[in-house]
Amino acid sequence: MEIYVVKEGDTVDAIAQAFAVSPENIIENNQLTVPYPLAVGQALLIGEPEPGSERVRDAGGYAYTYISRWVLRQTLPFLERLFVFSYGFTEEGELLLPPQDDMWMIEMCQEFDTMPILTLTPFGTDGRFNNNLIHQIVTDATARERLLTELVQIMTEKGYGGIDIDFEFILAEDRDLFTAFVAQTAEIMHDNGFVVSVALAPKTSADQKGLLYEGKDYGALGKVADAVLLMTYEWGYKYGPPMAVAPLNSVRRVLDYAVTEIPPMKINLGIPNYGYDWPLPYERGRTVARTIGNVEAVQIAIRYGAEIFFDEKSQSPYFEYVDEDGADHVVWFEDVRSLAEKYSLITEYGLKGIGVWQIMRWYRAMWLLNEQS
């Protein structure tokens, strides 16, 4: 497969002729819409994965229970694991189910031989994140025992293959208790035939300060879990200043540290399947970016006649445009160029694979690119 960057005057037919492929190949790979306009600077994925080639990286993806059935059906053939987001719990250790039924997702996983993974988060009865729940569950043996018992029961009943522990904002003083909780969980889950993974905030050193980082002991968690997900995204985020969501230079710094603490073949690299559209000028504390899909980002560029640029430092695409009301915007997102650079890190560092946050939007080119060695 090849990546081509659109130039002024290009058409789908002309590009197809130059690469000796059908126009339909380009249209389908890149989810182009009638009448198939292109944006200058748009990166196109051309061709098909080589027949019989084996994917060199493992793939998992996170999905809420309200994902479109069509999107999930398109995506599952590309996944080894589906992380169902998410189950919560109370201070007493009572397991809380997702807001919508998840059995249909598990049944579809069985159809495609994909392992369903239960994602456990510290969401309370109000459906919101609560780090007091983390402190409670790691300090209260009775609540912890109830939670683990209920987890094993429901995972067995529903047909889950494992659990992913996604706890964020862990208090520094709870760091070792959290590691002990994961170790206890892993022991019980292994006894019942389940695998265990942990989501990790993107640290660059053992003593990194901040509520996101101090409660996660990379080395200790890497020993007790079967796999970890590095959450290498959200440098550019909804309430922050405009920038790449997952700049490659920042991702590299996380990996440089992570592989000194965790066996590389236990590490899944987090891949964002989204971008942000910021209104300008950015005002700290006031500006809120809109979350968009990667296909949608290109459609916005086409709609407003914007040229897409590629930032060499972050290895990420971006563009600016002016909307109908005369307001300025800047968009950062992912395309096949930025994804190819991230995928190359899997081989370079000898990692297990990728974990995509999240698969709610169908982005065909991302998965096709992941299929080729």
Side-chain angles (χ1 to χ4, degrees):
M1 305 189 77
E2 299 186 63
I3 295 173
Y4 176 75
V5 180
V6 174
K7 299 179 177 61
E8 187 73 44
D10 277 342
T11 65
V12 170
D13 286 340
I15 296 169
Q17 185 174 10
F19 283 90
V21 300
S22 69
E24 289 76 20
N25 173 269
I26 298 174
I27 291 166
E28 182 179 15
N29 284 1
N30 300 282
Q31 295 169 259
L32 306 182
T33 57
V34 178
Y36 314 123
L38 302 171
V40 174
Q42 176 181 357
L44 298 173
L45 186 65
I46 299 174
E48 299 286 352
E50 291 184 13
S53 63
E54 292 188 9
R55 188 191 310 153
V56 297
R57 59 190 72 88
D58 194 63
Y62 288 78
Y64 293 93
T65 49
Y66 54 84
I67 187 174
S68 154
R69 289 176 183 259
W70 182 86
V71 170
L72 185 59
R73 183 168 288 278
Q74 299 304 307
T75 309
L76 281 176
F78 299 97
L79 296 180
E80 276 73 37
R81 296 170 318 285
L82 173 70
F83 296 88
V84 177
F85 199 87
S86 70
Y87 281 70
F89 54 91
T90 66
E91 290 187 356
E92 295 75 30
E94 179 187 0
L95 187 64
L96 300 176
L97 304 182
Q100 298 184 24
D101 178 56
D102 55 343
M103 272 308 301
W104 71 272
M105 301 172 74
I106 297 168
E107 291 167 357
M108 196 178 288
C109 281
Q110 293 167 350
E111 181 181 345
F112 289 95
D113 198 25
T114 300
M115 179 184 288
I117 303 292
L118 183 152
T119 305
L120 183 69
T121 57
F123 287 177
T125 53
D126 59 358
R128 305 178 111 187
F129 181 89
N130 181 351
N131 71 345
N132 290 327
L133 287 172
I134 301 175
H135 178 75
Q136 182 69 18
I137 210 68
V138 300
T139 56
D140 186 334
T142 301
R144 192 163 60 250
E145 182 178 349
R146 177 181 181 181
L147 176 61
L148 293 174
T149 298
E150 292 190 9
L151 279 167
V152 169
Q153 181 180 350
I154 201 161
M155 290 167 66
T156 303
E157 289 176 354
K158 291 195 172 188
Y160 275 106
I163 183 172
D164 182 58
I165 301 171
D166 184 3
F167 287 13
E168 300 176 40
F169 305 106
I170 301 166
L171 300 175
E173 56 266 33
D174 287 340
R175 187 189 75 160
D176 294 341
L177 290 172
F178 174 68
T179 299
F181 166 70
V182 175
Q184 181 183 0
T185 301
E187 182 179 1
I188 292 172
M189 292 298 164
H190 290 161
D191 287 345
N192 287 274
F194 300 119
V195 296
V196 177
S197 59
V198 183
L200 301 178
K203 295 176 67 167
T204 55
S205 66
D207 57 356
Q208 186 169 349
K209 301 300 181 185
L211 190 55
L212 267 176
Y213 314 108
E214 294 178 59
K216 296 282 180 72
D217 184 334
Y218 266 36
L221 292 169
K223 287 178 181 177
V224 299
D226 299 305
V228 303
L229 171 76
L230 295 184
M231 301 166 73
T232 40
Y233 38 76
E234 289 291 275
W235 277 272
Y237 66 104
K238 197 176 189 73
Y239 303 103
M243 64 179 296
V245 174
L248 197 75
N249 52 327
S250 298
V251 173
R252 275 189 175 277
R253 285 196 291 270
V254 174
L255 282 174
D256 287 341
Y257 166 63
V259 296
T260 68
E261 297 274 10
I262 305 168
M265 278 306 297
K266 281 191 173 186
I267 297 175
N268 288 304
L269 185 68
I271 302 290
N273 181 33
Y274 60 94
Y276 287 114
D277 181 337
W278 283 268
L280 298 175
Y282 170 78
E283 296 181 51
R284 186 177 181 86
R286 297 188 63 183
T287 300
V288 179
R290 182 170 67 93
T291 307
I292 58 174
N294 298 315
V295 174
E296 182 185 0
V298 174
Q299 292 171 344
I300 292 171
I302 292 171
R303 184 184 315 145
Y304 294 103
E307 180 177 354
I308 298 172
F309 298 94
F310 195 74
D311 179 67
E312 291 300 325
K313 183 177 181 180
S314 66
Q315 292 288 292
S316 299
Y318 71 98
F319 62 90
E320 296 183 1
Y321 73 95
V322 180
D323 68 19
E324 295 88 345
D325 299 322
D328 294 324
H329 294 251
V330 62
V331 172
W332 287 86
F333 64 108
E334 300 289 330
D335 67 8
V336 286
R337 291 171 294 182
S338 63
L339 290 171
E341 292 297 330
K342 292 177 176 64
Y343 290 166
S344 70
L345 298 176
I346 310 300
T347 303
E348 180 181 340
Y349 286 85
L351 308 182
K352 177 179 175 62
I354 63 171
V356 177
W357 178 262
Q358 25 69 5
I359 64 167
M360 303 299 285
R361 296 176 174 88
W362 173 233
Y363 185 23
R364 180 176 175 79
M366 173 176 68
W367 300 110
L368 288 176
L369 192 63
N370 191 51
E371 287 291 289
Q372 74 171 20
S373 336

